[in-house]
Amino acid sequence: MDQKLWNGFREPKLVQAKIRQIQKIVTRPWTIMEICGGQTHAIKKYGLDQLLPPEIEFIHGPGCPVCVTSLELVDKALQIASLPNVIFTSYGDMLRVPGSTGDLFSVKANGGDVRVVYSPLDSLKIARENPEKEVVFFAIGFETTAPANAMCVLQAQSLKINNFSMLVSHVCVPPAMRAILSSPTNRVQGFLAAGHVCTVMGYWEYPPIAQEFRIPIVVTGFEPLDILEGVYRVVRQLEKGTYEVENAYSRLVTYEGNVSAQKVIQQVFEVCDRKWRGIGVIPQSGWKLRKEYAQFDAETRFDIQSIVTQESPLCIAGFVLQGIKKPYECSAFGTLCTPENPLGATMVSSEGACAAYYQYSRNLPVPKMNHV
Amino acid sequence: MCLGVPGKIVEIYETNGLAMGKIDFGGVLREACLTYVPEAKLGDYVLVHVGFALNVISEEEAKETLALLNEIVNLEEEISAQD
Ligand code: SF4
């Protein structure tokens, strides 16, 4: 499958045809949530929300791991990274995430050894090369990064790399979908399920959610045509009154997902309650290391004293993450809060809703176009 | 980081007991772990997340999806030609 074939999913002629197809079947307003921040980014980047008929409103979901990593954990990261014998490794996006008293960048500026890595494997390598140091990896992410993190723990164990540990902040998508649907303020009528999470997990977890909440769920990819196909299928179901799970990303997603990856995740992690930044604790919504791997758990390895957290009083990211408010409704958006100087986590990563709005549509709200 | 990147496997080898590969991302070569895609062969396209290939991309499915989408456009053109 070469780049040309992949680019086929951006073909303007097909995009326009798909939009016309959606226009033909839509008869009334529908609100659709895309779970994944990568999709939020694509929707803003290609202006899909502006191209679609005005009946369709996107609500942006909490699917950006940088944004939902709890303030407590960010603060713990800041404390650990400040310790003299520690090399703290993280994805670049996390460096600017504001904790209560600064960010990882400021720790680095004050002499902390904070390094950006692309994969946890890089972190493991740093640990092997620096046996006299404690190397910590900030293991954030949804189901997409869990296979990598789990495998690195197994590697560390088999290669006896004893100076390696992880600060784990894993979050899982299906419990978040349930939490959103159970909220009294919920407005979501259909879901675009996060395609890349499903490449790992498949979509066997979704039929019970679709049935229980009577909501259509369509597994959706990230190219403009993928997203429009997801929207088309959700709208088709909404107009018919059905609530099935469909797969609109068949080139990558199967019902079972990647079974060997799921097994390794199971082996290393167990389900736990997890606090989501801006949202609060969602029961059974995260993974933590199993007891057998406690030696690789940075939270037990480093004695971190109780932390007093404090969010910026201006930030309404919690509402943004739940789809209750749009970023431009925040008084700090684009003025006091920018990607260079973020007050909240959703302004940091390009997958965060505030950053996506800032990057692609600073002058919002703009009137919607009726036709393309 | 949830945005996996598609790339082509150009080399397969082993490091510390893990199946690894060189992946070509549109001209940029990077290493990725192949342990979760034991079926992957040289020349296959895989989706890579944070250094791990998690799926082999189905070329067949991609072609089929695009063919279906193209059909809609053709159908529309036929209909408007008849008008
Ligand atoms: S614009 Fe900044 S302050 Fe406002 S909700 Fe978004 S992240 Fe928070």
Side-chain angles (χ1 to χ4, degrees):
Chain A
M1 149 125 206
D2 59 12
Q3 196 62 37
K4 233 171 94 199
L5 187 55
W6 192 267
N7 287 345
F9 291 89
R10 295 179 190 169
E11 172 67 43
K13 204 167 87 178
L14 295 181
V15 166
Q16 280 159 13
K18 203 77 227 173
I19 289 170
R20 282 194 299 275
Q21 230 191 344
I22 296 168
Q23 278 168 343
K24 267 189 209 139
I25 59 166
V26 69
T27 63
R28 52 194 164 116
W30 299 113
T31 42
I32 300 174
M33 174 177 274
E34 82 284 1
I35 307 280
C36 174
Q39 289 166 337
T40 306
H41 182 91
I43 287 167
K44 296 312 288 180
K45 177 172 174 189
Y46 296 105
L48 299 179
D49 51 344
Q50 303 299 310
L51 295 171
L52 278 165
E55 287 88 347
I56 292 162
E57 183 192 349
F58 284 110
I59 298 189
H60 313 302
C64 161
V66 172
C67 307
V68 300
T69 294
S70 74
L71 188 54
E72 282 84 349
L73 267 176
V74 175
D75 286 349
K76 275 185 193 169
L78 298 180
Q79 283 204 12
I80 296 173
S82 308
L83 296 173
N85 200 34
V86 164
I87 302 177
F88 195 87
T89 58
S90 164
Y91 301 124
D93 273 0
M94 286 311 283
L95 263 59
R96 280 200 178 280
V97 172
S100 299
T101 56
D103 54 22
L104 284 168
F105 253 123
S106 55
V107 171
K108 192 175 161 74
N110 289 325
D113 194 345
V114 178
R115 303 187 192 178
V116 170
V117 290
Y118 154 78
S119 160
L121 282 173
D122 302 338
S123 188
L124 210 52
K125 189 160 166 252
I126 294 174
R128 295 182 81 184
E129 291 165 357
N130 297 275
E132 73 296 348
K133 295 269 190 182
E134 282 289 329
V135 176
V136 183
F137 177 65
F138 204 171
I140 67 155
F142 281 94
E143 291 91 333
T144 45
T145 58
N149 294 338
M151 188 55 75
C152 282
V153 169
L154 295 184
Q155 272 293 93
Q157 191 183 45
S158 78
L159 300 175
K160 304 202 167 43
I161 305 176
N162 296 322
N163 61 329
F164 174 78
S165 61
M166 282 183 179
L167 184 58
V168 178
S169 167
H170 266 299
V171 275
C172 305
V173 165
M177 288 165 77
R178 282 182 179 278
I180 289 163
L181 292 170
S182 306
S183 155
T185 53
N186 171 51
R187 293 174 52 228
V188 179
Q189 294 169 297
F191 272 119
L192 306 184
H196 287 168
V197 166
C198 298
T199 62
V200 178
M201 298 306 292
Y203 51 96
W204 50 268
E205 293 170 284
Y206 297 142
I209 301 178
Q211 291 306 312
E212 184 182 335
F213 295 95
R214 303 177 147 249
I215 187 157
I217 302 176
V218 178
V219 178
T220 301
F222 295 80
E223 297 299 327
L225 263 176
D226 289 321
I227 292 174
L228 291 173
E229 180 65 23
V231 171
Y232 173 70
R233 294 203 197 188
V234 167
V235 171
R236 190 171 61 183
Q237 284 205 46
L238 286 168
E239 292 284 346
K240 275 199 298 205
T242 58
Y243 37 90
E244 309 288 331
V245 178
E246 292 184 54
N247 179 12
Y249 202 29
S250 59
R251 67 186 183 281
L252 273 161
V253 173
T254 58
Y255 181 74
E256 308 77 38
N258 188 324
V259 177
S260 73
Q262 289 171 36
K263 278 201 188 122
V264 174
I265 294 172
Q266 278 282 325
Q267 184 185 340
V268 174
F269 293 115
E270 63 185 336
V271 172
C272 64
D273 295 349
R274 174 79 62 210
K275 192 166 187 180
W276 296 50
R277 191 166 191 170
I279 297 178
V281 174
I282 302 180
Q284 309 274 294
S285 68
W287 282 322
K288 63 173 186 188
L289 286 166
R290 286 185 185 277
K291 269 204 299 294
E292 300 90 292
Y293 302 99
Q295 72 168 114
F296 301 107
D297 190 342
E299 284 195 76
T300 40
R301 199 164 181 132
F302 299 93
D303 184 26
I304 307 153
Q305 294 310 314
S306 61
I307 285 172
V308 185
T309 58
Q310 197 177 359
E311 282 283 7
S312 159
L314 295 174
C315 183
I316 59 160
F319 295 118
V320 173
L321 286 165
Q322 293 169 79
I324 299 166
K325 291 217 159 116
K326 292 273 182 338
Y328 52 77
E329 291 175 71
C330 171
S331 65
F333 176 75
T335 52
L336 288 171
C337 180
T338 61
E340 293 73 42
N341 221 331
L343 289 183
T346 41
M347 188 55 100
V348 177
S349 158
S350 63
E351 292 168 27
C354 293
Y357 271 71
Y358 183 84
Q359 197 171 353
Y360 295 114
S361 45
R362 250 175 277 181
N363 304 324
L364 274 173
V366 291
K368 280 194 135 202
M369 287 185 295
N370 268 316
H371 297 286
V372 275
Chain B
M1 75 218 48
C2 288
L3 268 187
V5 195
K8 182 182 179 175
I9 305 179
V10 292
E11 204 184 316
I12 297 178
Y13 49 91
E14 214 188 275
T15 312
N16 296 323
L18 281 186
M20 303 293 292
K22 278 244 148 44
I23 317 289
D24 180 350
F25 298 102
V28 181
L29 287 185
R30 264 205 131 131
E31 187 175 53
C33 180
L34 300 178
T35 182
Y36 291 123
V37 286
E39 73 279 23
K41 308 178 299 298
L42 275 184
D44 278 351
Y45 280 78
V46 285
L47 190 75
V48 178
H49 278 101
V50 295
F52 283 72
L54 293 178
N55 306 83
V56 178
I57 302 167
S58 165
E59 190 161 346
E60 222 170 279
E61 290 283 349
K63 283 189 178 145
E64 212 168 284
T65 310
L66 281 178
L68 275 174
L69 291 166
N70 267 306
E71 231 168 74
I72 307 166
V73 178
N74 294 340
L75 210 71
E76 274 189 348
E77 278 168 3
E78 264 174 46
I79 292 170
S80 59
Q82 283 164 11
D83 282 348

